[in-house]
Amino acid sequence: MSENPLTCEEVVQQLFTYLDGDVDDTRSVEIDRHLEACRECCSRLEFEKRLRKKIQGSGTQQAPERLYRRVRRILDQS
Ligand SMILES: [Zn+2]
């Protein structure tokens, strides 16, 4: 096992890939571990999950880009 913990920045960068299930197992475990320990990233993940569900539930094929960008900006400020 690599003793190379991910930084918050790395986790955030890979959050979408992680949510898509496109990360490999090792990476996925590393992200899981970080999320368990890091409240900030954990709530960020929950937020992204909810946002995705909302976007998917709205029935629109395209993600509302503008909303998405605005939300990300709010997140980046926190
Ligand atoms: Zn973190």
Side-chain angles (χ1 to χ4, degrees):
M1 214 178 279
S2 71
E3 269 319 306
N4 194 12
L6 296 169
T7 64
C8 289
E9 205 176 303
E10 286 172 318
V11 169
V12 168
Q13 275 168 2
Q14 291 171 91
L15 211 52
F16 290 105
T17 326
Y18 174 79
L19 278 170
D20 284 335
D22 283 343
V23 288
D24 60 48
D25 288 350
T26 319
R27 192 28 67 91
S28 171
V29 167
E30 282 171 351
I31 293 174
D32 278 343
R33 213 184 307 154
H34 181 97
L35 291 170
E36 272 172 37
C38 181
R39 242 190 128 66
E40 205 179 311
C41 288
C42 192
S43 56
R44 212 172 261 232
L45 175 76
E46 287 306 313
F47 189 88
E48 298 286 357
K49 268 193 203 162
R50 241 173 298 157
L51 193 66
R52 288 200 157 206
K53 215 175 265 179
K54 207 176 247 181
I55 290 167
Q56 280 161 6
S58 72
T60 43
Q61 284 301 316
Q62 324 159 264
E65 265 298 313
R66 239 178 303 160
L67 170 76
Y68 223 76
R69 239 177 293 156
R70 198 167 65 196
V71 168
R72 291 217 59 85
R73 211 179 311 145
I74 292 165
L75 279 174
D76 287 342
Q77 282 166 357
S78 60

